[in-house]
Amino acid sequence: MADKLRLRLYSSPLGLYLTAGGRLDGSTVHQLTTAVDLALIRLNPVRLMVDLHAVTYLDVAGVAALIACRRDAHARGAQLAVVQPSNPARATVLACAAQDLLAGDKPTPAVLPAADSWRHCPRPSLRCPRPPGRAHRAPRGTHHR
């Protein structure tokens, strides 16, 4: 396998974050489920966000594992949300008719305003997405001399 699953668990002001990168398929789902189980048992979070922004491949086994992890989190009184799915991950989740997994994908207006959501990146030490820049222009009718 050229692209393995990379996991990173950390705490943020919004709750626990588990970032995943690489392939989330039948050969790597055990890593994800183990990490979620350990986080739920040892850290007892109220909220656990699984960030899939760096997932390059997701198959049906990965979607099933995410559903099972969410079920286990609810059984322990925690909320599990899949956030920032990559395009391949989003396409697979939608193809499996599991769009309810992506309910946590969009920030709620009370927590993060949609217009400024790019400013509130909770992932430390990772480059936050920035809106495309524009060249500075002087207002019409004013000329620089």
Side-chain angles (χ1 to χ4, degrees):
M1 283 235 151
D3 196 14
K4 296 180 181 178
L5 183 65
R6 296 172 311 280
L7 298 172
R8 180 174 175 227
L9 180 68
Y10 61 91
S11 179
S12 80
L14 299 175
L16 277 181
Y17 256 75
L18 177 64
T19 59
R23 296 178 63 92
L24 182 54
D25 57 13
S27 64
T28 59
V29 294
H30 67 282
Q31 293 174 305
L32 176 77
T33 56
T34 301
V36 169
D37 284 343
L38 288 174
L40 292 172
I41 292 169
R42 293 187 180 173
L43 303 174
N44 197 20
V46 172
R47 188 169 182 194
L48 174 62
M49 276 95 31
V50 180
D51 189 338
L52 301 181
H53 77 279
V55 170
T56 57
Y57 177 78
L58 177 70
D59 68 357
V60 177
V63 174
L66 289 168
I67 291 170
C69 288
R70 186 181 60 183
R71 185 190 65 232
D72 292 345
H74 284 292
R76 294 181 187 275
Q79 175 190 8
L80 186 136
V82 174
V83 295
Q84 299 183 9
S86 63
N87 288 336
R90 181 187 308 276
T92 304
V93 168
L94 294 177
C96 293
Q99 55 270 14
D100 57 326
L101 275 175
L102 304 179
D105 186 25
K106 295 179 183 170
T108 58
V111 177
L112 298 177
D116 281 344
S117 63
W118 64 271
R119 295 179 194 264
H120 302 284
C121 182
R123 291 180 278 134
S125 75
L126 295 177
R127 178 171 283 186
C128 295
R130 299 282 186 224
R134 272 185 20 179
H136 176 70
R137 294 185 183 172
R140 290 185 179 207
T142 60
H143 299 282
H144 295 304
R145 293 181 189 198

